[in-house]
Amino acid sequence: MRPVLFEIFNAEVRSYYALWAFALFLLVVWTRRRAERLYGMSESDVSSVLVWVYCAGILGSFVPGIMERLPLYLDGRIAFAEVFRGLYSAGGLLAGGLAGLCRLRKLGASADAFADAVSIPLAVMLAVGRVGCLLEGCCSGAGAAFADAPRFWLHFPTDPANFWRFPSQPLESFAALCIALFLAVLSALLPEAKRRRGGVLFPFVLILYGLYRLLADPQRQLYADGLMNVNRYVWTAGIIVGAAWLMRTAKRLRARD
């Protein structure tokens, strides 16, 4: 792994922050382009919503980790600096989504259209960001000692000999790319009138990504350490919301037809 990409003026540029920053930049630029060109949203509305989503997402990604690690610090099991380490994607997505919905409602803009505009960039952002996690060595899978290396499993430089980990980071990148490809094909197949109304693509993000995380998260080291327990409730809620959203969209489209 390569936690430090390079050094400039004796300052380290870490893989985790560099790739997640690039992924977030890609999300913002691509979403703005899609929202304006494909869904007819105004530039000012899109920019305003993206600022709210970005700020709330960053804040929300810290909160669950602090809530779970603070008791461990108070019990003396971790150092104070460990309380603020790591970002929780579940908290970031939840906070960013709620902030975006509130801002869209205040602006009178279409939540369905904006959600579909952000769907494919969001999946690609997750795929790129997890590469940063892989290079940093964080968000790793749980592991065990094996006499022979399991196929596709990972061994980190800091791991003991013959210790191999579930490939949580590359597997999530691959899953996110598959979701993005599925959404791109679905978007291309939709008639333009139905596509511009929105409310079709993003529910699938909630359902598919939520299902993946529910199945894969128990294989991560943080679960083995007793953390990330709050995530399972967020992903379950996301799946339920996605299914309800999809049914609402189907009912709306049938009524208009």
Side-chain angles (χ1 to χ4, degrees):
M1 308 308 151
R2 188 175 180 177
V4 179
L5 283 178
F6 56 87
E7 293 186 9
I8 181 170
F9 302 117
N10 295 324
E12 294 181 345
V13 177
R14 301 194 68 86
S15 306
Y16 179 88
Y17 297 107
L19 281 171
W20 272 108
F22 171 74
L24 286 168
F25 173 78
L26 183 64
L27 170 74
V28 170
V29 173
W30 195 1
T31 297
R32 178 181 295 170
R33 183 183 180 90
R34 283 173 52 82
E36 293 174 15
R37 295 195 174 190
L38 299 181
Y39 295 92
M41 299 184 69
S42 72
E43 180 182 358
S44 59
D45 286 353
V46 175
S47 299
S48 177
V49 174
L50 284 172
V51 169
W52 279 70
V53 169
Y54 179 85
C55 294
I58 294 295
L59 180 62
S61 64
F62 275 105
V63 172
I66 294 174
M67 292 175 61
E68 287 197 328
R69 287 181 169 86
L70 189 58
L72 301 181
Y73 164 72
L74 295 176
D75 289 343
R77 285 183 280 175
I78 63 173
F80 181 72
E82 296 291 320
V83 175
F84 302 95
R85 285 193 60 186
L87 305 178
Y88 277 41
S89 56
L93 292 173
L94 178 62
L98 291 175
L101 286 174
C102 291
R103 189 59 180 166
L104 284 163
R105 184 174 181 180
K106 185 173 183 178
L107 294 171
S110 171
D112 286 331
F114 181 84
D116 277 14
V118 79
S119 58
I120 297 176
L122 177 61
V124 174
M125 181 200 75
L126 293 169
V128 174
R130 284 305 179 199
V131 176
C133 296
L134 175 64
L135 295 176
E136 180 74 18
C138 64
C139 307
S140 60
F146 295 92
D148 297 317
R151 194 174 185 183
F152 302 123
W153 281 42
L154 303 175
H155 177 81
F156 289 87
T158 55
D159 288 333
N162 299 321
F163 189 90
W164 296 87
R165 294 181 179 275
F166 178 79
S168 61
Q169 308 101 319
L171 189 59
E172 184 170 339
S173 286
F174 177 73
L177 285 177
C178 289
I179 293 173
L181 179 61
F182 168 77
L183 297 175
V185 173
L186 178 59
S187 179
L189 293 175
L190 285 172
E192 183 177 358
K194 292 184 178 180
R195 176 183 52 76
R196 288 180 68 87
R197 295 185 189 124
V200 178
L201 304 183
F202 192 75
F204 280 107
V205 176
L206 295 175
I207 295 170
L208 296 176
Y209 186 67
L211 285 172
Y212 170 79
R213 291 297 299 264
L214 280 179
L215 293 173
D217 275 4
Q219 304 300 321
R220 292 177 62 174
Q221 184 62 48
L222 287 172
Y223 266 75
D225 294 339
L227 300 172
M228 290 183 66
N229 294 309
V230 68
N231 276 14
R232 69 187 67 178
Y233 302 109
V234 176
W235 303 131
T236 301
I239 294 170
I240 294 172
V241 170
W245 196 336
L246 201 57
M247 289 188 290
R248 168 184 168 272
T249 299
K251 183 178 179 180
R252 184 195 64 190
L253 292 177
R254 283 198 302 268
R256 291 189 179 184
D257 290 340

